[in-house]
Amino acid sequence: HQIDQPTLSSRRHHRHKPSTNTLQIHSITMTNLLSVALVFSNLVTLTGAFVINARSVSSAAESSSSSALYSTWNNGNKYGKGQFTFYKGFDEWMKPFPSEDRELYPEMFRIPTGVYEVRMARPLGIVFEELEAGGGGVYVTDLVEGGYAEAKGIIKPGDKLIGVTAVKVVGAKWERRLLPCTTWNFDTVVDAIGSNDSKWGCSDVVLLFERPGEANEEEVKKHLEFFEPPFDSMWKRA
């Protein structure tokens, strides 16, 4: 297929007492956890579709079609095709953009200070808890001794999960993308992690974390807007 080169044209912390939503991802796999979490999730099991609630659409995603947000999203017959179909990491995802864009929009081609990306196999070995009951994202409360997260030596208790890769299947085609998760509840985060299954070519999960006190909130917000599905995206449909 011929590929056109793309061009670029407060949070509130509330740490509550551990609830039933506190998860220690350790000896059991995320696949087993899905059987419990799917009851409350946005994951459509018959199609493997991961659906993002329309109310989470950012204002930037509703801008004109010339926006960079639209240049990386595939709809209709183009879904599952092209350069932007499988997220492996930030640097690789941004490679297709021309050097002119890097010069004009340098902030678009770097992860903000205080934010870091980690690729990990499952089980992760992370204990997550909701920042607010019923939504508002999740944060790290602990790392499992001897687990993958502890071995990485990067993730720390208190770090907030702000992005995670998820797989959405439409018919015989699928994509894996990094999605902002700062407004998600615990179950949706679990479903997203669990959708990174080997049957879709996934050998890992990509997690994006923010370290409290080190990041500029406006920079983080703009960075996440680039990955927010537009209102007409296949990722917003059941």
Side-chain angles (χ1 to χ4, degrees):
H1 300 282
Q2 182 176 351
I3 306 299
D4 295 328
Q5 188 176 44
T7 58
L8 290 175
S9 17
S10 69
R11 93 187 163 202
R12 178 181 61 178
H13 289 281
H14 176 67
R15 299 188 178 184
H16 54 79
K17 295 180 180 179
S19 65
T20 55
N21 277 341
T22 300
L23 171 67
Q24 180 167 303
I25 307 173
H26 186 25
S27 58
I28 54 178
T29 65
M30 294 305 303
T31 301
N32 293 331
L33 288 168
L34 285 177
S35 62
V36 177
L38 285 178
V39 178
F40 309 100
S41 72
N42 288 326
L43 187 66
V44 181
T45 56
L46 293 179
T47 62
F50 189 82
V51 183
I52 306 302
N53 195 302
R55 67 171 176 266
S56 68
V57 179
S58 68
S59 58
E62 296 173 335
S63 60
S64 70
S65 60
S66 62
S67 169
L69 288 159
Y70 281 82
S71 67
T72 65
W73 293 93
N74 309 308
N75 281 329
N77 292 332
K78 293 183 179 180
Y79 187 80
K81 301 178 181 178
Q83 297 163 307
F84 300 101
T85 57
F86 195 93
Y87 189 94
K88 296 180 179 179
F90 180 73
D91 291 338
E92 184 168 341
W93 189 256
M94 302 302 288
K95 277 183 180 179
F97 291 97
S99 57
E100 306 92 271
D101 287 341
R102 298 176 184 275
E103 295 173 2
L104 290 172
Y105 311 101
E107 70 283 356
M108 295 289 292
F109 294 88
R110 64 175 180 83
I111 294 178
T113 301
V115 174
Y116 64 94
E117 186 177 81
V118 182
R119 295 177 62 177
M120 294 178 56
R122 297 182 293 153
L124 304 178
I126 303 175
V127 182
F128 285 121
E129 186 175 338
E130 289 182 335
L131 279 161
E132 299 178 14
V138 300
Y139 72 105
V140 179
T141 61
D142 200 5
L143 303 178
V144 176
E145 185 177 355
Y148 287 127
E150 185 184 61
K152 281 282 186 180
I154 302 172
I155 303 169
K156 295 182 179 180
D159 289 351
K160 181 181 179 182
L161 183 68
I162 61 174
V164 60
T165 50
V167 173
K168 178 178 174 66
V169 182
V170 179
K173 298 180 289 186
W174 69 89
E175 294 185 357
R176 180 171 96 155
R177 289 180 172 270
L178 181 78
L179 302 174
C181 61
T182 56
T183 63
W184 295 1
N185 61 27
F186 178 87
D187 296 315
T188 306
V189 171
V190 169
D191 289 341
I193 293 172
S195 71
N196 292 263
D197 193 272
S198 59
K199 64 184 176 181
W200 311 123
C202 304
S203 60
D204 58 20
V205 181
V206 183
L207 305 164
L208 189 67
F209 288 96
E210 176 185 344
R211 183 147 295 161
E214 296 185 12
N216 180 293
E217 293 299 323
E218 281 303 311
E219 289 184 2
V220 173
K221 180 180 178 181
K222 289 180 180 178
H223 183 75
L224 293 178
E225 283 177 350
F226 180 75
F227 296 99
E228 181 70 39
F231 72 96
D232 60 347
S233 168
M234 299 291 285
W235 287 79
K236 296 287 185 180
R237 305 174 190 174

